[in-house]
Amino acid sequence: MWSSNELTERLKLDRPIFQAPMGDYTTPALAAAVADSGGLGGLGMWGYSAEEAERRISGFRQLTAGSLNVNYPLWEHPGGLSGMGPEMRARLQALYDEKGLGPVPHPRPSTGEVDEDHLDVLKRLRPEVVSFHFGLPDDAILGAVKEAGIFVICSATTVAEAKALEARGVDAIIAQGTEAGGHRGTFSGTHISMQPGLFALVPQVVDAVKVPVIAAGGIADGRGIAAALMLGASAVQIGTAFLRCEEANVPGQNRERLATASDSSTVVSDVVTGRPARFIRNRLIDELSAEGLEPLPFPAQSGLTHPLEKAGDGELMGLYAGQSAALTRDLPAAGLIETLVRETNESLSRFVGSTGHLA
Ligand SMILES: Cc1cc2nc3c(=O)[nH]c(=O)nc-3n(C[C@H](O)[C@H](O)[C@H](O)COP(=O)(O)O)c2cc1C
């Protein structure tokens, strides 16, 4: 049966479907609805304090006995930023002035880490899975998370990254194809034009590592799930398709942009946050890219672009989305999982007879 394997058994899942942890787009209600339907719920912790992380995990636990993935994007302190990016700031100031938003704020450096307080929350509340994006933390943190009995996974965008993660001791690897919405999980500096799409990436990662592989990027219906499993994936991680679930924290205007997207609506750009990510293409990205301006280091650049959201103009706010945005549907999370399972069954049964052999 396609829906059960070593990975799903280890994580107590009925379906090999992971709902991507997507920062504050993901809510305890969304993750719980997915977990209640037999998938893996995901909660992003980017920007959340340890107390907020605790509240989010506890909120999930109150709603369901299912399994949870808690996610940390990691990045290093960029050093001092004062006086950086004057041209970028001037270009943004023109957009701020157009919307009457006052002066562009000064960039603030930050670090993305699992600090002692977060580690304490993880050890006490023990989510079934902790996932990392942009590489792994140092051995002390990684070891402490694993010692707590937590299953550790991390995104890889190339075979070399997957091997490096396996060598550091991850329990499974998310193979993130270039179709994926959100930030590229790359941590090796491989240029986006050289990172493979999911169809090429998954079988090559499966051949290169011994741990289970989770396919992510452009999967939004059962055909995509069936294909990923055929390519050797043990599970899929789906992001964009969950953004239109009522439980996701996505404003109406952005839901509309997803609903009207086409196959060529998205673009990978670093001008919104300082790191390459796939977004719905819009005026903000076009104008900041046109002049070849260097963005500030991640995520200080988003400290400059984010306040534009106050203007409520979809053309001036970043909306992360993958290349299959046009395949997404307006469904509650439980309905989406049910639909994905039915479609996967239909896709697979087209090729396999009732005996389980090829027809
Ligand atoms: C809105 C959005 C936010 C995301 N935020 C994160 C994040 O905080 N951490 C992370 O590991 N991945 C994040 N991702 C990437 C997902 O983990 C995953 O790679 C991607 O959603 C898969 O492609 P798909 O969107 O086409 O399904 C995000 C994706 C989207 C669409």
Side-chain angles (χ1 to χ4, degrees):
M1 182 61 182
W2 65 268
S3 58
S4 162
N5 56 47
E6 254 176 56
L7 179 66
T8 56
E9 275 164 33
R10 167 71 175 76
L11 299 179
K12 301 191 197 76
L13 307 176
D14 297 330
R15 321 283 185 206
I17 301 175
F18 293 16
Q19 167 250 316
M22 300 180 281
D24 61 1
Y25 294 75
T26 47
T27 62
L30 175 66
V34 170
D36 250 357
S37 305
L40 182 67
L43 283 177
M45 292 304 171
W46 178 2
Y48 286 100
S49 68
E51 294 78 46
E52 288 164 335
E54 176 153 12
R55 263 203 301 280
R56 279 163 76 72
I57 299 171
S58 304
F60 171 90
R61 292 283 190 232
Q62 278 161 22
L63 293 169
T64 180
S67 297
L68 176 65
N69 167 19
V70 168
N71 175 260
Y72 290 89
L74 304 177
W75 66 91
E76 285 178 7
H77 195 282
L81 296 176
S82 63
M84 269 188 94
E87 298 90 0
M88 176 59 81
R89 290 174 56 79
R91 187 68 201 78
L92 279 164
Q93 189 62 62
L95 297 176
Y96 273 55
D97 290 346
E98 191 184 308
K99 298 292 177 185
L101 291 173
V104 174
H106 287 286
R108 289 219 317 264
S110 63
T111 313
E113 60 178 354
V114 179
D115 63 16
E116 283 303 322
D117 294 339
H118 275 276
L119 192 56
D120 178 57
V121 171
L122 294 176
K123 282 184 188 163
R124 279 189 290 110
L125 301 189
R126 296 187 32 186
E128 286 68 21
V129 179
V130 166
S131 62
F132 297 103
H133 213 49
F134 314 139
L136 291 167
D138 63 30
D139 283 341
I141 301 286
L142 186 60
V145 174
K146 290 190 66 151
E147 256 168 51
I150 297 171
F151 196 85
V152 173
I153 64 177
C154 184
S155 303
T157 64
T158 62
V159 167
E161 288 181 353
K163 284 181 166 175
L165 294 178
E166 184 177 49
R168 292 279 316 276
V170 297
D171 297 302
I173 288 164
I174 306 158
Q176 190 196 36
T178 47
E179 302 90 332
H183 283 101
R184 306 296 308 140
T186 184
F187 55 93
S188 63
T190 308
H191 191 264
I192 175 69
S193 63
M194 294 161 72
Q195 294 169 20
L198 197 67
F199 239 82
L201 181 63
V202 170
Q204 294 186 72
V205 172
V206 167
D207 286 350
V209 300
K210 294 197 174 61
V211 294
V213 174
I214 301 137
I219 300 171
D221 64 21
R223 294 171 296 185
I225 296 174
L229 297 174
M230 291 287 186
L231 293 172
S234 297
V236 296
Q237 176 154 296
I238 298 179
T240 305
F242 282 103
L243 293 176
R244 290 182 64 197
C245 295
E246 63 196 27
E247 299 93 338
N249 178 30
V250 178
Q253 187 190 67
N254 283 345
R255 290 173 186 270
E256 186 57 29
R257 289 166 73 199
L258 289 165
T260 53
S262 76
D263 61 329
S264 55
S265 292
T266 68
V267 63
V268 174
S269 173
D270 60 2
V271 296
V272 179
T273 69
R275 231 182 158 118
R278 187 174 290 284
F279 295 93
I280 299 274
R281 183 182 164 192
N282 65 3
R283 185 180 154 210
L284 175 70
I285 293 172
D286 283 353
E287 292 196 1
L288 295 183
S289 310
E291 295 167 32
L293 302 174
E294 197 56 35
L296 273 76
F298 174 88
Q301 176 72 12
S302 55
L304 307 191
T305 57
H306 192 71
L308 283 167
E309 293 198 1
K310 281 184 251 160
D313 179 349
E315 283 299 319
L316 294 181
M317 59 173 99
L319 172 57
Y320 303 108
Q323 289 183 325
S324 295
L327 293 175
T328 62
R329 293 156 283 196
D330 249 327
L331 284 169
L336 178 58
I337 298 275
E338 197 183 306
T339 305
L340 292 172
V341 169
R342 179 174 41 74
E343 291 171 344
T344 308
N345 277 327
E346 282 166 9
S347 289
L348 293 171
S349 61
R350 247 184 277 147
F351 301 101
V352 180
S354 56
T355 57
H357 296 292
L358 284 179

